[in-house]
Amino acid sequence: MGQVAWKGLFLSFFDYKTEKYVIAKNKKVGILFRVVQLSILAYLIGWVFVVKKGYQETDTSIQSSIITKLKGVAFTNTSELGERLWDVVDYVIPPQGENVFFVVTNLIVTPNQRQTMCPESFGIPDAACLKNSDCPEGEPVVAGHGVKTGRCLKTGAVNATGTCEIFAWCPIEKRKKPKIPLLGKAENFTVYIKNSIRFPKFDFSKTNILETETESYLKSCRYSNDDHYCPIFHLGKIVSWAGSEFQRMAIEGGVIGIQVEWDCNLDKPASECHPNYSFTRLDNKFTEKSISSGYNFRFAKYYRDAQGNDYRTLIKAYGIRFDIMVNGKAGKFNIIPTIINIGSGLALMGVGAFFCDLVLLYLIKKSNFYRDKKFEEVRSASKMSLNIKVNGQPKSKSHNDLDQVRLQPLEA
Amino acid sequence: MGQVAWKGLFLSFFDYKTEKYVIAKNKKVGILFRVVQLSILAYLIGWVFVVKKGYQETDTSIQSSIITKLKGVAFTNTSELGERLWDVVDYVIPPQGENVFFVVTNLIVTPNQRQTMCPESFGIPDAACLKNSDCPEGEPVVAGHGVKTGRCLKTGAVNATGTCEIFAWCPIEKRKKPKIPLLGKAENFTVYIKNSIRFPKFDFSKTNILETETESYLKSCRYSNDDHYCPIFHLGKIVSWAGSEFQRMAIEGGVIGIQVEWDCNLDKPASECHPNYSFTRLDNKFTEKSISSGYNFRFAKYYRDAQGNDYRTLIKAYGIRFDIMVNGKAGKFNIIPTIINIGSGLALMGVGAFFCDLVLLYLIKKSNFYRDKKFEEVRSASKMSLNIKVNGQPKSKSHNDLDQVRLQPLEA
Amino acid sequence: MGQVAWKGLFLSFFDYKTEKYVIAKNKKVGILFRVVQLSILAYLIGWVFVVKKGYQETDTSIQSSIITKLKGVAFTNTSELGERLWDVVDYVIPPQGENVFFVVTNLIVTPNQRQTMCPESFGIPDAACLKNSDCPEGEPVVAGHGVKTGRCLKTGAVNATGTCEIFAWCPIEKRKKPKIPLLGKAENFTVYIKNSIRFPKFDFSKTNILETETESYLKSCRYSNDDHYCPIFHLGKIVSWAGSEFQRMAIEGGVIGIQVEWDCNLDKPASECHPNYSFTRLDNKFTEKSISSGYNFRFAKYYRDAQGNDYRTLIKAYGIRFDIMVNGKAGKFNIIPTIINIGSGLALMGVGAFFCDLVLLYLIKKSNFYRDKKFEEVRSASKMSLNIKVNGQPKSKSHNDLDQVRLQPLEA
């Protein structure tokens, strides 16, 4: 028997086997099924292909290079610094012009600091003292500026609290919050952003500057929603686009994110692949009050006097840090994803049929009738052999014999 | 009736229901179907599994750390600077040796700038003047270097155009484009790149330096396509691999991208996971002429004289910025994606059958015959009973004959 | 006939066609099939939905901004530098407080370097010489510090090897490996890390600092596994969490990676989206011995004396670089991925049925009987006509009868 089976299997290898369908003349379920099919088709075409471009192979590993250059000068005249002109080299840190740059908008300068002894600044709990023994020598001041020398410096009354003397960069920086920004004029500075990108998979390169642009245009233009191919940005505008107010931000500083988004459909001409700029404030602007607001850091300029002693000018710089982040994706037609999407989409059809079957077989009035039709019951050979004796010559054995056979008992 | 239905449903819960197939002894469609099946299988095995390694779980969130160190000295002798030796500390900015470093190849030095008054440089439209009133005091020069003092400085004839005097860092930097690179010798400098990566999901770590390498080897070797495990790169070679010419690039500067690609198949031994270097020029090399070509920035060294006045040396540095970008992915066998890929692959078979059905049922000669076979029509019980009364003679033989037989008892 | 076919096709468009199933009363295969179905369902629900949250649309393009601030002072007293206090400005490079910062833990200082002539340091092969001709003038020393002047400097015996004189920044830095870290106290420094993130797709923002936290809390707290919302980290702890020992690492330096992981389920309240910190050592710690271990770089402070001559203090800084890397993903319920996952999951059912069929049709005892049932053979008109002659009796009514009936006209 097995051998016959294998022979049949081999012979029938090139027969085409197709599922047998039962046609249920039930318009309700029929229409339901068509609706399901339609909606799946709509989803497949509308969403997967039109919206999600499922027929495209995409590359999101964008290679990007940023070059930034600021322009603008500001003149200040303060009691501390006197008349001073600030140019790019003075207010941009670091100078390299990479994708992150910092513009100084406010300063607290502590000139001529030297390594010597001076009283720790007031208001630091650990530095408060009544007698020298409160200032153990060599112990660093917690959250302070130096190490204690062992002496407690007092002003006025003997039993008043003083502060420990410390060895540090003296004098200590004064603790005062700035009220108005020193370099408020920075609002009018401009930054030139050059972004060259490349999608390695498709070997497609582009910059955010049109080849057609003339030098004079690039000198005069300013980025705006109308003119979104001009790479020169007005700092004040950037901040306002990010939803903040420059003059207020300038006092305490902050961080602005400049996103450059490239979404390129390479099935269209390259000229239709545009950069897209968006601006957000990255340091949490909601906690203006909290200590975690703003952005500042300290740095120093180191000098050496004629005697070869080092001294420095300590600068606490408040300002706005701009982080330029580039991301993007490119898509191009490719047969593989197309096949996959069609396949999985049509696979969903099966799910539709599955649910319609449930309706047909269990939810409608004549469901159990259809159930009989859909499911053809068969019994094992043994019972068959019996049948054979009962009726009919071998050759006429067809599937339907046993249907009849099976049904006899029912009739009896 | 419903109750019977439910009883049957329960009993038959552990019956195995399998689709009934109609064997169409049509070799054409049969072969077509086998071809479709084969191509799907080929796609599944060949593409999904062999090429795309669909049986692997992948990790693309690579953790990377870069350490770079340059080596090389260059001696220059210019009228401005006199005899000067340049070592790493002088020409590498910033010094930290991170994944982005800049090598100075050309300089415009403006020594001893002080905050005072001097004429704005010529050629700046906003600074051109005929009389003092053309230079309103305190107004910054657009795209200039300082703020106007209110005086118009003239040379020669009275009605000739002069330039406004400005308060700025004086003297102003001379506007001249360099012709030959000052540090052309930088071509022979070398950079040591150490890249340690880690794939957190698989906790797999590796560096681009073989443990077996001796110190002497690392001192002498140079990276090349033959020797791609030597982490020491010749700057000139890097630039040429990126398709540019060092000496020409050195004049105006530029940006070179060094991609390090890790593609690790962790089903193989770790030793087979190699770094892969590629070099591209990131600043748009096609616009050599345009203002947007090259790369340079200004920085200053600040000094203080005996009188405590600040002065600075302004340096406009042209050079090559190297951006090292690391990306990679690791794959390891995992049962889940294997199942998913097999499943979706076989789902495609359904699509194949779908198309072959279309051929069988609508495109071939005897299609409507097969259609009858494939689709078994059934009518609802009511209509049936009618039939039975009406007829018994051969001509009315329809599929439903046997339905009638089975259905009689139900009516009885 | 084609016209009839199309008519039928149109009429039957709203008939519901459902596969005809054969019920195999074989409990073995039946149970097998149920088990397969159950496991697929379990996989679909358990893995795809519960574990992988397949019902969510995810956003992995996280926008992040890092602000870091170090605190702490250290006092050193060495023969070279004398009494010296180190504060943040001295030991943090670069000062901006971005996501990568470097803490100096060890120093080799070479003060008062000037551009002049001095002997190249010993041990550099290329600088060893016996006579002046071994030091060709103007040739840079390979892996050295300057260019040869043409003179060979010797100490003692005439035929002893000397070193070439070079023009360089003199004196040359002494080559000595530090034994104990100068700034070992850096272990007790603390770093304040502020990380604001944003998921653009869902416009969801959060920081690693709770709004509820008071300034005093943020001054006093320290991050620990118990208190993982305190943004202030103890450097020594970070290093130990990364599996290294600070004092040992401080000697040669190294790189520590701080990963901040945001895994936000936006179907839950925002307060349940926490940052997750992990610490790893990024420079290969296994090769402590090899030259590729540790982390250091050189930088210089430039001065100018009264005569206007430049000189510098060269500093080789060993230390620990901290790289903060932020990554994360946010998920929110969305109908599209839900459909897709259900679809592909159910598609797997087909695969299950496919395998059970194989069992039923080829592996069990009565398989060829079931094969007859499953596959209904149909013959094309020609063969049919033959049958008819052979047999005709009513009881043998089979589907094929009506084929005969319909086919008679063909024969007529």
Side-chain angles (χ1 to χ4, degrees), chain B residues 31-150:
Chain B
I31 286 160
L32 172 66
F33 184 55
R34 293 299 174 196
V35 169
V36 171
Q37 281 184 315
L38 265 185
S39 45
I40 290 173
L41 218 65
Y43 154 78
L44 187 63
I45 292 168
W47 177 261
V48 177
F49 281 90
V50 176
V51 179
K52 286 283 179 209
K53 297 204 174 48
Y55 56 86
Q56 285 188 331
E57 166 186 53
T58 60
D59 181 3
T60 57
S61 70
I62 185 171
Q63 292 170 10
S64 157
S65 150
I66 298 263
I67 297 176
T68 54
K69 226 184 183 96
L70 277 98
K71 263 206 161 48
V73 292
F75 176 79
T76 62
N77 189 351
T78 61
S79 55
E80 278 167 328
L81 301 168
E83 288 196 331
R84 182 115 170 51
L85 182 98
W86 299 85
D87 69 358
V88 176
V89 179
D90 297 322
Y91 62 72
V92 176
I93 301 166
Q96 288 97 294
E98 293 173 10
N99 60 326
V100 176
F101 59 93
F102 171 82
V103 176
V104 177
T105 57
N106 219 346
L107 289 168
I108 297 179
V109 180
T110 313
N112 301 319
Q113 282 192 323
R114 289 168 181 273
Q115 295 253 341
T116 163
M117 290 171 216
C118 55
E120 175 63 274
S121 65
F122 284 96
I124 293 181
D126 187 49
C129 63
L130 286 171
K131 49 192 178 319
N132 291 347
S133 61
D134 295 338
C135 306
E137 188 176 350
E139 183 190 84
V141 179
V142 175
H145 300 87
V147 289
K148 298 169 182 169
T149 58

Side-chain angles (χ1 to χ4, degrees), chain C residues 191 193 233-243 256-258 279 322:
Chain C
V191 59
I193 298 175
F233 299 78
H234 181 274
L235 291 196
K237 290 246 179 63
I238 291 179
V239 173
S240 64
W241 284 323
I256 297 282
I258 303 177
F279 310 88
F322 295 88

Side-chain angles (χ1 to χ4, degrees), chain A residues 239-254:
Chain A
V239 173
S240 64
W241 283 323
S244 298
E245 203 271 298
F246 192 94
Q247 292 305 328
R248 256 180 65 247
M249 194 172 178
I251 297 171
E252 294 259 305

